[in-house]
Amino acid sequence: EAGVTQFPSHSVIEKGQTVTLRCDPISGHDNLYWYRRVMGKEIKFLLHFVKESKQDESGMPNNRFLAERTGGTYSTLKVQPAELEDSGVYFCASSFRGTPLHFGNGTRLTVT
Amino acid sequence: QKEVEQNSGPLSVPEGAIASLNCTYSDRGSQSFFWYRQYSGKSPELIMSIYSNGDKEDGRFTAQLNKASQYVSLLIRDSQPSDSATYLCAVIVSNFGNEKLTFGTGTRLTIIP
């Protein structure tokens, strides 16, 4: 079974640019989550999709972040325009109906 | 008060000894608890889940849960150098009907050969 895959693995962009992160969950997993780990801090929840619907987006930092999950399959997280404090590792995770989350390898975003 | 608290360490344990990792949580209604292991530069990997009070054993790992004290721990017996990693305690926290997995900061464990 393929795991959660994320693309790209690394991204370096300049302040003010746009970046789009992609997550492909495990096939059949309705739940898809985005988390972020900023250097030295804990992994923080960003949002949760159930299929294509946003169940909880209380962790999204501000309106520069936009997440979508069209068709309930893969998800994208766009940051526009990127700021220095957006640097960190963005993890995607998926699960099926209350089972434990499986994480992707993350996308390391560096904003310079 | 943080929702999930862990001692960030670092915690150093000699090879072959027992490593003990602790975690407390604030949401008294939480029912699901997890331990993840994260190697440097890698994604969190689930190693234990526990839902009921008491102990749950899986190989060299034992998770312990005490809901009355809002405390969950992870014991690693016969510690190996390959156990060196950051261990993340995670708890399902309910917030206005939404449940989300909330992490502690993690404890960095080093097993000394």
Side-chain angles (χ1 to χ4, degrees):
Chain A
E1 175 185 74
V4 178
T5 56
Q6 292 187 245
F7 182 84
S9 57
H10 293 84
S11 181
V12 181
I13 61 172
E14 292 183 353
K15 176 182 171 180
Q17 289 186 320
T18 297
V19 62
T20 300
L21 314 180
R22 172 170 170 145
C23 169
D24 285 76
I26 292 172
S27 178
H29 281 194
D30 290 341
N31 294 292
L32 187 149
Y33 303 81
W34 284 98
Y35 283 82
R36 175 174 74 172
R37 185 165 199 161
V38 173
M39 180 75 74
K41 302 288 181 102
E42 67 268 31
I43 296 176
K44 284 216 163 182
F45 169 85
L46 295 179
L47 88 159
H48 170 206
F49 283 100
V50 177
K51 296 185 181 177
E52 68 274 11
S53 299
K54 290 177 185 174
Q55 181 77 8
D56 180 1
E57 52 184 332
S58 61
M60 294 287 264
N62 50 60
N63 59 10
R64 295 186 294 102
F65 289 75
L66 175 64
E68 295 180 322
R69 192 182 182 195
T70 306
T73 54
Y74 72 91
S75 175
T76 57
L77 178 64
K78 181 161 72 173
V79 185
Q80 179 183 30
E83 297 289 344
L84 298 178
E85 64 264 25
D86 301 333
S87 296
V89 181
Y90 289 76
F91 289 105
C92 176
S94 71
S95 73
F96 177 72
R97 292 184 190 175
T99 58
L101 272 62
H102 295 265
F103 282 81
N105 286 329
T107 294
R108 182 174 296 278
L109 174 65
T110 303
V111 183
T112 62
Chain B
Q1 182 188 12
K2 287 187 176 180
E3 292 173 307
V4 181
E5 293 209 54
Q6 293 180 254
N7 186 330
S8 61
L11 174 66
S12 296
V13 173
E15 183 176 357
I18 295 175
S20 177
L21 305 161
N22 305 315
C23 172
T24 57
Y25 60 94
S26 62
D27 183 1
R28 191 168 283 280
S30 295
Q31 299 294 324
S32 305
F33 308 87
F34 308 91
W35 283 99
Y36 284 81
R37 177 178 62 199
Q38 187 176 22
Y39 293 113
S40 180
K42 301 291 186 182
S43 61
E45 171 194 10
L46 179 70
I47 53 172
M48 289 288 285
S49 59
I50 187 166
Y51 307 98
S52 306
N53 276 329
D55 295 0
K56 179 181 177 183
E57 187 175 315
D58 183 0
R60 295 186 297 109
F61 297 96
T62 299
Q64 299 174 315
L65 175 61
N66 184 326
K67 291 183 181 179
S69 300
Q70 294 173 243
Y71 174 91
V72 58
S73 66
L74 179 70
L75 301 178
I76 307 174
R77 289 182 301 282
D78 187 23
S79 298
Q80 304 296 309
S82 59
D83 295 328
S84 297
T86 296
Y87 287 80
L88 302 164
C89 174
V91 176
I92 298 284
V93 174
S94 294
N95 185 22
F96 298 103
N98 292 320
E99 294 188 337
K100 60 189 177 195
L101 190 66
T102 301
F103 287 88
T105 53
T107 298
R108 189 153 50 95
L109 173 66
T110 301
I111 305 301
I112 304 167

